[in-house]
Amino acid sequence: MAGGKASSLGVLLNAGLPVPGGFVVRLAALKECLNACGDRELFERAARAEASGDSDRAAQLGRLAAVRLRQIPLPVSLVDALEEAHRQLLSRPLLAGQPQRAPGLLVLRSSALGEDGDVFSHAGQYDSLLNLRGLDA
């Protein structure tokens, strides 16, 4: 599963339209991290609060979950997959049919499943980080 923005880019790509290169860190990777940290209940409570419409509680638990998530070391299998995806991304042109990309600068866009659906809109609540260099950024 992927968030709405990644899914929409996939539709455009499959239609033959020019889409900047990229890769998606899927829901399975988050689940792997949550299982590794042993604190999955906190994340599940935050998701339940969001689903119930209790935005204050969801925000409170979401902040706690974000702090906890930043403390979790990434599983080696995920680090390996990110390094390979990063290497492949930088080896391709920015857009199909264009010259090779200049090495270096990347954009990281966080997203979520259902972030802009019929019931909820979370526009502007996730991060976009620009001009990142290298995988450690």
Side-chain angles (χ1 to χ4, degrees):
M1 293 181 137
K5 301 220 177 2
S7 296
S8 295
L9 288 171
V11 168
L12 295 173
L13 186 63
N14 288 334
L17 296 169
V19 174
F23 60 89
V24 175
V25 179
R26 300 174 71 109
L27 181 59
L30 174 61
K31 288 181 177 180
E32 185 178 346
C33 290
L34 296 181
N35 288 334
C37 81
D39 217 1
R40 190 172 183 147
E41 175 59 26
L42 170 62
F43 299 91
E44 290 173 352
R45 285 193 335 251
R48 284 193 302 271
E50 174 73 17
S52 73
D54 186 350
S55 59
D56 291 337
R57 183 74 174 142
Q60 177 189 26
L61 291 170
R63 285 189 294 275
L64 290 172
V67 168
R68 181 65 184 117
L69 195 56
R70 287 184 187 98
Q71 297 169 342
I72 300 169
L74 295 177
V76 172
S77 60
L78 179 56
V79 172
D80 290 346
L82 289 170
E83 288 174 346
E84 177 60 18
H86 180 254
R87 186 193 63 72
Q88 287 183 18
L89 176 65
L90 293 181
S91 70
R92 296 188 304 260
L94 181 60
L95 293 172
Q98 299 294 314
Q100 192 69 21
R101 77 168 57 234
L105 299 180
L106 301 170
V107 173
L108 172 70
R109 169 72 172 106
S110 65
S111 186
L113 297 175
E115 70 177 284
D116 293 321
D118 294 337
V119 178
F120 297 106
S121 176
H122 301 283
Q125 293 187 23
Y126 298 100
D127 291 329
S128 292
L129 305 174
L130 306 176
N131 301 319
L132 299 177
R133 283 196 189 275
L135 195 56
D136 290 334

